[in-house]
Amino acid sequence: MPAPLSAFHLRRQDAIERYLAGDPIEAICREMGSKSWLYKWKNRYEASKPNWFHERSRRPRITPTQTPEALERAIVRLRDSLSPGESRSVSAQVIRDHLSRHHIESLPSRRTIYRILKRHPRR
């Protein structure tokens, strides 16, 4: 059995049903929201998609500026090799200097290195 529809889904369906029944768009918009809101849901409904009333993710499908996984692994390995014990930590600047000596083409910023190390805590 499908999950019950939320208040937002019901509101969207109600607005489209009213539109299809011939209610003036201005009246629907006055009661339910802006004109762009109604047109967005009307266009999705007319596209004949079965789940037209569901929210869509706004997250980008790709992240072109994301640090490559290989570089991220290299940063973590470098940290672990420079300070094998947990008592000493290596700064992002030291890691960046080591990367520059190994002719990494696109050096990440110190802040990026710091974030990567935070994402991959020592085990």
Side-chain angles (χ1 to χ4, degrees), residues 11-32 38:
R11 183 175 177 216
R12 291 170 189 151
Q13 284 186 324
D14 181 48
I16 294 302
E17 287 171 9
R18 289 180 57 194
Y19 168 76
L20 294 173
D23 283 4
I25 290 177
E26 290 77 20
I28 300 169
C29 291
R30 235 185 342 270
E31 295 172 27
M32 300 197 142
L38 181 61

Side-chain angles (χ1 to χ4, degrees), residues 1-15:
M1 186 166 118
L5 296 178
S6 72
F8 288 120
H9 296 119
L10 294 173
R11 183 175 177 216
R12 291 170 189 151
Q13 284 186 324
D14 181 48

Side-chain angles (χ1 to χ4, degrees), residues 10 13 16-17 21-22 25-28 39 42 45 47 55 66 77 80 82 84 89 92 102-103 106 112 117:
L10 294 173
Q13 284 186 324
I16 294 302
E17 287 171 9
I25 290 177
E26 290 77 20
I28 300 169
Y39 280 110
K42 179 181 95 47
Y45 172 80
E55 282 295 326
Q66 184 176 15
R77 276 195 311 268
D80 294 344
L82 291 174
S89 63
H102 290 90
H103 307 291
S106 177
T112 298
L117 296 177

Side-chain angles (χ1 to χ4, degrees), residues 3 15 28 34 40 45 110:
I28 300 169
S34 71
K40 174 174 94 172
Y45 172 80
R110 289 188 319 246

Side-chain angles (χ1 to χ4, degrees), residues 14-83:
D14 181 48
I16 294 302
E17 287 171 9
R18 289 180 57 194
Y19 168 76
L20 294 173
D23 283 4
I25 290 177
E26 290 77 20
I28 300 169
C29 291
R30 235 185 342 270
E31 295 172 27
M32 300 197 142
S34 71
K35 217 177 229 191
S36 62
W37 177 87
L38 181 61
Y39 280 110
K40 174 174 94 172
W41 296 111
K42 179 181 95 47
N43 289 337
R44 286 189 187 175
Y45 172 80
E46 289 174 349
S48 302
K49 295 190 179 183
N51 295 327
W52 65 269
F53 51 86
H54 289 287
E55 282 295 326
R56 293 182 185 168
S57 174
R58 293 182 181 179
R59 180 179 181 193
R61 288 187 181 95
I62 60 168
T63 313
T65 59
Q66 184 176 15
T67 305
E69 284 186 42
L71 180 57
E72 203 164 311
R73 284 192 305 272
I75 289 169
V76 172
R77 276 195 311 268
L78 193 53
R79 177 207 48 205
D80 294 344
S81 67
L82 291 174
S83 67

